[in-house]
């Protein structure tokens, strides 16, 4: 793993390793933590469900496993800061300089959040919010020390794909992935998929945690200083269309002739309609072959293409198109923002063919 | 209206007129026809519903009005070729050179297509297609003469927003808008909202009409000649994120000082999260104010901003961001395709301030 920070632990796999398997193993799955990794005992852990519910609940892991139907969903998890490093090349941004590996695709198993909310008698009112409180202590500059918390809108919370997960690829969650219980919100930025989940609250406003109020917002490009008016930011939930070249690696030396390009593409809640690749910086394009599992709409699409490279320097590029005929902006400058989120311009990799 | 072709009639309103009202009046609504406008008698018109249904139906307009619950939906209709003129400036494309006016927002009234399909006992199988056959005769180069026909996937056909509409803004449909009955498929390209509807067929494959098979497909950029391999195209259904400056007009002369910019933005099935405007070709951006009706999720968003223009030439630009943090490509070249569809790059308008 490429470790951006040992404490809190933030690490991502090399891209060729990520692309080696459609389902990302736990050891290869990026780790994004905001504080120390809690050590929790599954036997004594309790989940409280409260707020605007008719029947507050306190549930053990055993309760969750036995009182609710088990559900599995194959889904991508990705950090809102995935590919942030490219924005740093435009102008400096905050946060760890993720390459394209702050993403993974796993089969998550647990129970539907909707089932738990219904058991607690939560009103199915789309104007409400479902807040998650967690066991990890977080420190943010200027915000002090607090427990991690976020929220999602009720309409998404009631969607069948949103899980309270206790397993990943058929095994218990590893400590760094939220053992014993985490939220999985397919399509949303990873920050909403709260780990080490302790409490759920149904409420009229979004979470008042600084993570929800002051972080994970898309700021307009004219905010460049440290003094940030957060009210001008848009809360990041659904993630945009994105694609990356995983192989060959940046600055790789390859043999001149046919070269295989491989990567991923993702379009939260939409399908990938087409993936274009270029060997000349985007002047000429060819279409990649797509590999997708139609039974797993929240998973990613793998793509591959073979391009004929003459000896010399080449700028390889990928861009994806979603099912609404929407495509990605060409340059990182087109999406630059102070916090370095949603870096989703064409992905470019320079290689040399000998 | 700006008439691109008198027969078949294809016309769009000037952009300032379009922007004058959040609900577009029938006389100001763009007209896209593929053949002669049929003259149909509402009293004798019949709609047949057949194919893979348990109970084929033949319905008069009176049957539709009395046997099904009435439904209204405010929704944008837009041509897949809206803003095509800008692609022509990159390399020549087929079709009428629409500016940004091949779009409108109306309150459509009729019955839910889903209710009619259920009355006919159509299986709710998402792999099926719902095909529409119409009364207008169409001629396409190399395809001969045939009745207009298209289809949509069953999953969309069963969505509550999809209507069989007999009224627009409270009045009967005008002849050019499909009198006495048309389909309205919010979010999809206008071509799927078939006018002068005569028959609905539930079937295993998409419509075999050339309009469905060989037209309204997004082709890859390397297809530049007249010999088109249609199998390489992607069927256009959902429309991409788009935005246009409606006022001031291109090449306008304005008074130096504060200048009001106005326009529309649209994101089929998603919300508009932010609209950025620039007076210097996209180097510096400001945010526009948004006007949207939260009770009408399929309608457009109006935006406005005031920019201070010094005397001289200015390139005004708009770009929108949707609720998934996705934005538009910068240049028409980034979205060029042979048929000139889905022209959704940043919209640029040159003006001179005196």
């Amino acid at each position: 793993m490429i470790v951006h920070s040992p404490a809190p632990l933030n690490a991502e796999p090399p891209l060729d390793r990520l692309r080696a398997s459609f389902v990302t193993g736990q050891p290869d799955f990026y780790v994004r933590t905001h504080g120390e990794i809690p050590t929790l005992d599954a036997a004594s852990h309790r989940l409280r469900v409260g707020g605007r519910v008719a029947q507050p609940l306190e549930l053990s892991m055993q309760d969750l496993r036995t009182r609710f139907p088990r559900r599995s969903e194959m889904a991508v998890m990705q950090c809102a800061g995935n590919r942030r490093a490219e924005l740093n090349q435009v102008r400096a941004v905050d946060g760890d300089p993720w390459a394209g590996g702050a993403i993974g695709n796993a089969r998550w198993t647990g129970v539907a959040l909707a089932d738990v909310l219904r058991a607690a008698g939560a009103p199915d009112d789309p104007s409400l919010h479902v807040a998650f409180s967690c066991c990890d202590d977080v420190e943010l500059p200027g915000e002090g020390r607090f427990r991690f918390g976020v929220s999602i809108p009720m309409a998404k919370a009631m969607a069948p794909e949103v899980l309270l997960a206790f397993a990943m690829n058929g095994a218990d969650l590893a400590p760094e992935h939220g053992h014993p219980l985490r939220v999985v919100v397919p399509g949303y930025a990873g920050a909403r998929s709260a780990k080490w989940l302790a409490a759920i609250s149904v409420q009229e406003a979004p979470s008042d945690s600084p993570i929800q109020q002051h972080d994970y917002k898309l700021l307009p490009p004219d905010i460049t200083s440290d003094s940030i008016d957060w009210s001008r930011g848009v809360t990041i939930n659904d993630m945009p269309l994105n694609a990356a070249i995983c192989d060959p690696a940046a600055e790789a030396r390859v043999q001149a002739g046919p070269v295989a390009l491989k990567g991923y593409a993702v379009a939260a809640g939409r399908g990938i309609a087409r993936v274009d690749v270029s060997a000349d910086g985007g002047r000429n394009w060819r279409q990649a072959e797509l590999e997708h599992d139609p039974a797993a709409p929240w998973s990613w699409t793998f793509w591959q293409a073979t391009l004929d490279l003459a000896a010399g320097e080449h700028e390889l590029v990928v861009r994806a198109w979603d099912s609404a005929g929407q495509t990605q902006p060409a340059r990182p400058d087109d999406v630059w923002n102070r916090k370095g989120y949603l870096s989703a311009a064409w992905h470019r990799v320079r290689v040399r063919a000998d």
Side-chain angles (χ1 to χ4, degrees), chain A residues 11-29:
Chain A
E12 66 183 308
L15 288 176
D16 60 339
R17 192 168 169 80
L18 182 67
R19 182 56 176 73
S21 172
F22 193 78
V23 178
T24 315
Q26 286 206 49
D28 293 332
F29 214 95

Side-chain angles (χ1 to χ4, degrees), chain A residues 213-236:
Chain A
Q213 295 292 326
H214 289 179
D215 210 351
Y216 296 105
K217 287 195 175 186
L218 183 67
L219 297 171
D222 60 288
I223 294 186
T224 55
S225 75
D226 281 339
S227 131
I228 292 173
D229 175 0
W230 290 105
S231 72
R232 294 186 61 209
V234 175
T235 298
I236 296 170

Side-chain angles (χ1 to χ4, degrees), chain A residues 290-310:
Chain A
L290 307 184
E291 176 190 347
H292 185 56
D293 179 353
W298 296 101
S299 67
W300 54 16
T301 294
F302 270 9
W303 60 263
Q304 59 182 331
T306 302
L307 295 180
D308 214 48
L309 300 189

